[in-house]
Amino acid sequence: MHQVASVAVSRPALQPRDLTVDDLDAVIDVRARSIGLMAPGSREEWLRGARTAVAERRLIGVFDGDRLVSAARVWDFTQWWCGRQVPMGGIGGVVVDPEYRGRGVASRLMGALLHRCQERGLMLSALFPAAVPVYRKLGYEFGGGRHRYSFLADELRRLGGGDAPLRRATPDDAALLLDLVTQVRAQGAESGPVGWPQAEVREWLGEEDTFAYVADDGFVVYRWEGSDLQVDELVAGTETTARTLWSIVGSGASIARTVHAYLAPYDPIHLMLGREAAKATEQQRWMLRLIDAPGALAARGWPPGAALDLPIEVSDAEIPANAGRWQLHVADGLGSLDADPGAGRDRLRLSSRGLAALYAGTPMATLRVAGIATGGTADADRRIDAAFGGPAAFMLDYL
Ligand SMILES: CC(C)(COP(=O)(O)OP(=O)(O)OC[C@H]1O[C@@H](n2cnc3c(N)ncnc32)[C@H](O)[C@@H]1OP(=O)(O)O)[C@@H](O)C(=O)NCCC(=O)NCCS
């Protein structure tokens, strides 16, 4: 048996940097090896979005010398938390060349993305994890779900009771649709949904396969999915508008047997139909991380009557500015996190994952059993749950 002498070859360090348009072919190659080939015809659309991301410094890669081995994108979103919008960096398209996996490349890339979120003033970050441990190690934790329900189109057709005046929506209605969303999310004190930049909403409304109708206090955007229909978003401020918009989609029942829709688990349609949604509801879970803890706690909404004056200690290896001893104060619908270096009795201790899960409304008892919260008191836990709890956080979009 021959033994091969091992020679120590010095490799240039793996370095993250902003991508240029010249790197995009290499990104397409790593993506193909990581998540599959792009659907025929979608390359041009992907390149359009990627060029914008390059121009806005939202596309970052890791290089081995001149060779691109990993890439991902940041989106400038907002996210609703108890009815208020908080700047959020959506992370998507994390890919690592198969030859470079298992060497900390994704972790390196994510470190650069967290830093970029900080620079852009994004107070939160969210993503859909294909490999949970990669993101847990970086302080992300599950924040909520994305639920896809399926209804019989004929049930929706027969909903009736809606005669709200409607018209077709066009790309010029982007600002109007965003206003309607703002009203409904604020009124419902909703948590989780993503707020898109107006230019993206414009583009969405201009897509050839998108059908959109708008009423005074709501809208629906839907499309064909094979011979079924798929609702991308339906927002309604009143029962009449909800019935009108769902009936429009259900009027496709002569061709479409099923209507799929991304919805909150507590969406009113569940209470309006005579039949429950199909048992096989799809659920994907997304993860959340606080990038700027004081900013994120000040920007979000709080339930009426929520009151906290709580000494906490946060550990955060990746974002040291979040770490340390704080006083969390919530009163009159406003929150603040102030440095509080004192000893502080009964201080609640949270890891960055614990803080993210708490922000998303996870009960204190869950955080304790999962080992991501310690200290504090049982009495404080009840008040913490009342402040952070509320309707379950959900998302409609895949990032
Ligand atoms: C998932 C992926 C991005 C990981 O890249 P990577 O460079 O190998 O990851 P890292 O080396 O930085 O790993 C970080 C940690 O996550 C763990 N990890 C990595 N890949 C994992 C996987 N597939 N499943 C579970 N854990 C994984 C590692 O063990 C490591 O933890 P450790 O330090 O405790 O050992 C890469 O395998 C990939 O591109 N896969 C295909 C595309 C994909 O799934 N993208 C993710 C979209 S969210």
Side-chain angles (χ1 to χ4, degrees):
M1 203 163 85
H2 298 284
Q3 284 218 324
V4 180
S6 67
V7 179
V9 178
S10 77
R11 286 174 169 276
L14 294 161
Q15 289 296 342
R17 71 162 165 80
D18 285 342
L19 298 190
T20 70
V21 285
D22 294 338
D23 298 316
L24 296 182
D25 283 344
V27 177
I28 290 174
D29 179 64
V30 179
R31 282 177 63 92
R33 286 159 203 273
S34 299
I35 52 179
L37 292 176
M38 285 184 190
S42 63
R43 187 183 166 104
E44 262 318 303
E45 191 187 330
W46 184 88
L47 279 171
R48 245 195 330 273
R51 285 188 203 110
T52 306
V54 164
E56 296 176 355
R57 299 184 66 223
R58 294 190 290 102
L59 202 48
I60 299 184
V62 172
F63 287 80
D64 182 359
D66 291 337
R67 178 178 172 182
L68 176 94
V69 300
S70 175
R73 188 182 304 206
V74 184
W75 289 91
D76 279 332
F77 290 135
T78 62
Q79 189 175 27
W80 295 90
W81 285 100
C82 198
R84 286 183 65 192
Q85 288 185 83
V86 182
M88 180 273 271
I91 308 290
V94 178
V95 287
V96 175
D97 194 323
E99 297 146 80
Y100 283 80
R101 290 182 189 155
R103 303 194 207 168
V105 173
S107 311
R108 196 75 197 267
L109 176 70
M110 285 302 300
L113 290 162
L114 292 179
H115 191 241
R116 182 54 49 85
C117 287
Q118 269 182 310
E119 285 175 357
R120 299 178 85 84
L122 301 165
M123 296 165 178
L124 300 170
S125 170
L127 51 80
F128 283 87
V132 171
V134 177
Y135 305 106
R136 279 228 166 107
K137 283 193 71 177
L138 293 157
Y140 286 81
E141 196 38 83
F142 286 123
R146 178 180 189 238
H147 314 272
R148 185 181 192 247
Y149 297 94
S150 302
F151 304 100
L152 286 177
D154 203 51
E155 283 277 307
L156 297 171
R157 184 182 71 82
R158 289 187 286 107
L159 196 59
D163 53 6
L166 285 187
R167 64 173 174 80
R168 286 185 180 188
T170 71
D172 290 342
D173 288 312
L176 172 65
L177 263 56
L178 286 172
D179 280 350
L180 292 171
V181 166
T182 300
Q183 285 167 31
V184 169
R185 305 250 181 271
Q187 197 176 2
E190 291 181 358
S191 290
V194 166
W196 286 76
Q198 191 171 318
E200 295 291 334
V201 176
R202 231 192 125 74
E203 205 164 299
W204 179 45
L205 293 173
E207 285 168 11
E208 193 185 24
D209 62 345
T210 290
F211 312 112
Y213 294 90
V214 61
D216 284 347
D217 62 347
F219 65 86
V220 62
V221 182
Y222 69 104
R223 64 183 72 234
W224 288 104
E225 189 185 86
S227 57
D228 290 344
L229 289 167
Q230 163 70 52
V231 173
D232 287 348
E233 188 156 7
L234 189 150
V235 160
T238 55
E239 180 187 354
T240 306
T241 300
R243 287 182 182 274
T244 307
L245 295 172
W246 281 114
S247 304
I248 276 273
V249 184
S251 73
S254 57
I255 304 291
R257 178 177 153 76
T258 307
V259 173
H260 310 282
Y262 292 105
L263 298 171
Y266 55 84
D267 190 278
I269 193 64
H270 297 296
L271 282 59
M272 296 165 80
L273 292 178
R275 217 187 267 246
E276 65 178 325
K279 298 268 188 286
T281 297
E282 282 175 33
Q283 184 186 248
Q284 292 161 299
R285 299 193 76 188
W286 45 271
M287 297 178 94
L288 182 73
R289 194 202 202 290
L290 274 68
I291 301 287
D292 165 6
L297 287 156
R300 63 170 291 155
W302 300 92
L308 286 177
D309 219 344
L310 187 74
I312 66 172
E313 180 163 1
V314 177
S315 55
D316 192 330
E318 288 73 29
I319 305 186
N322 287 341
R325 294 178 171 179
W326 303 96
Q327 188 75 14
L328 172 60
H329 186 71
V330 178
D332 304 323
L334 297 173
S336 65
L337 193 63
D338 300 303
D340 176 28
R345 289 188 54 226
D346 301 326
R347 204 175 273 280
L348 173 67
R349 289 186 295 278
L350 297 162
S351 64
S352 44
R353 287 173 51 209
L355 184 60
L358 176 62
Y359 194 94
T362 312
M364 280 303 301
T366 302
L367 303 185
R368 289 186 185 284
V369 173
I372 51 178
T374 57
T377 64
D379 178 51
D381 279 8
R382 281 197 292 275
R383 283 180 289 112
I384 297 169
D385 286 346
F388 283 93
F394 68 98
M395 258 192 213
L396 303 175
D397 308 287
Y398 190 81
L399 309 181

